Amino acid sequence: MNLILLGAPGAGKGTQAREISARRGLVQLSTGEMLRAAVKAGTPVGLKAKDVMARGGLVSDAIVIGIIEDRIAEPDCAKGFILDGFPRTLQQAAALDALLGAKGKRLDAVIELKIDDSALLARVENRAREALAAGGTVRADDNAEALRTRLLAYYRETAPLIGYYFAKGNLRSIDGMADIAAVTRSIEAILAGSAAG
Ligand code: AMP
């Protein structure tokens, strides 16, 4: 089973992708996490991505498509994956279609987590607080200014994907404002339906 979780920054994609991947034995593919690891390791990709990520902008399509292409080719992805944070542009969505088509794979569902924009800043601030409380570090882009840039990037570049996947027939939208367990249940209900049909 191959899924995409779509939604604004702070909508809960990462939290739900972790939960669903653990429950269903799917691989979680988070381009944000892969890019943060590259930044930390100081790889060539990390060096290119670092500043634009800290500002809240989007890393180039060529870089993220390359990362996903390599990762999807790894054997563990054969059992299925959840994309969290990719695709984020129409070019990335088209590249993903081509990539999956070439491998004879398909998307089983694209699930949109809908949330009120006014809740996003509080969620991002909360994530920063929780990271500190757990003894970790705060993401460079978890602050009000970078969030504004990330939201703009979301509405300019990523929100059109909702129409794209709706038109293709695989979009499902759920209420991302519910508590974490309820959102997981909504996703599971969709997946149960898509496995049956
Ligand atoms: P995330 O962890 O998904 O919120 O991603 C954090 C940051 O990584 C984003 O704000 C972008 O700078 C970058 N990023 C992650 N995924 C992508 C993508 N698919 N396309 C472009 N930039 C991305």
Side-chain angles (χ1 to χ4, degrees):
M1 176 170 276
N2 304 315
L3 312 173
I4 295 177
L5 293 186
L6 264 183
K13 302 183 297 294
T15 303
Q16 295 299 333
R18 257 188 304 282
E19 180 64 27
I20 301 292
S21 68
R23 285 166 173 244
R24 293 192 163 246
L26 303 172
V27 178
Q28 178 185 0
L29 301 179
S30 159
T31 39
E33 278 173 22
M34 293 178 213
L35 288 165
R36 279 188 288 281
V39 169
K40 201 166 168 194
T43 65
V45 161
L47 292 176
K48 278 191 201 139
K50 185 174 184 198
D51 291 342
V52 70
M53 285 177 75
R55 277 198 305 275
L58 292 185
V59 174
S60 79
D61 287 335
I63 288 180
V64 288
I65 290 166
I67 290 176
I68 284 294
E69 188 169 7
D70 291 347
R71 187 65 187 85
I72 283 182
E74 286 177 31
D76 61 338
C77 286
K79 61 190 170 190
F81 49 80
I82 305 180
L83 288 162
D84 137 32
F86 180 94
R88 257 178 160 95
T89 66
L90 287 167
Q91 284 84 346
Q92 292 175 22
L96 178 65
D97 284 346
L99 214 70
L100 295 179
K103 291 183 184 298
K105 292 178 189 285
R106 68 184 183 101
L107 285 172
D108 295 277
V110 178
I111 301 177
E112 179 203 3
L113 304 180
K114 285 171 101 66
I115 112 155
D116 297 344
D117 290 340
S118 55
L120 292 175
L121 183 58
R123 283 189 173 204
V124 163
E125 283 172 348
N126 196 35
R127 177 158 69 194
R129 252 195 315 274
E130 283 178 1
L132 282 179
T137 48
V138 174
R139 280 173 51 165
D141 58 353
D142 269 352
N143 59 72
E145 199 181 323
L147 177 65
R148 221 182 310 282
T149 310
R150 287 157 70 197
L151 258 184
L152 271 174
Y154 177 76
Y155 281 111
R156 271 202 195 115
E157 307 277 357
T158 310
L161 297 184
I162 293 167
Y164 178 82
Y165 287 116
F166 175 77
K168 284 173 73 85
N170 33 22
L171 184 77
R172 303 294 302 270
S173 297
I174 60 174
D175 176 15
M177 294 299 290
D179 64 52
I180 291 175
V183 176
T184 304
R185 282 196 298 277
S186 303
I187 296 174
E188 282 289 356
I190 290 172
L191 301 186
S194 97

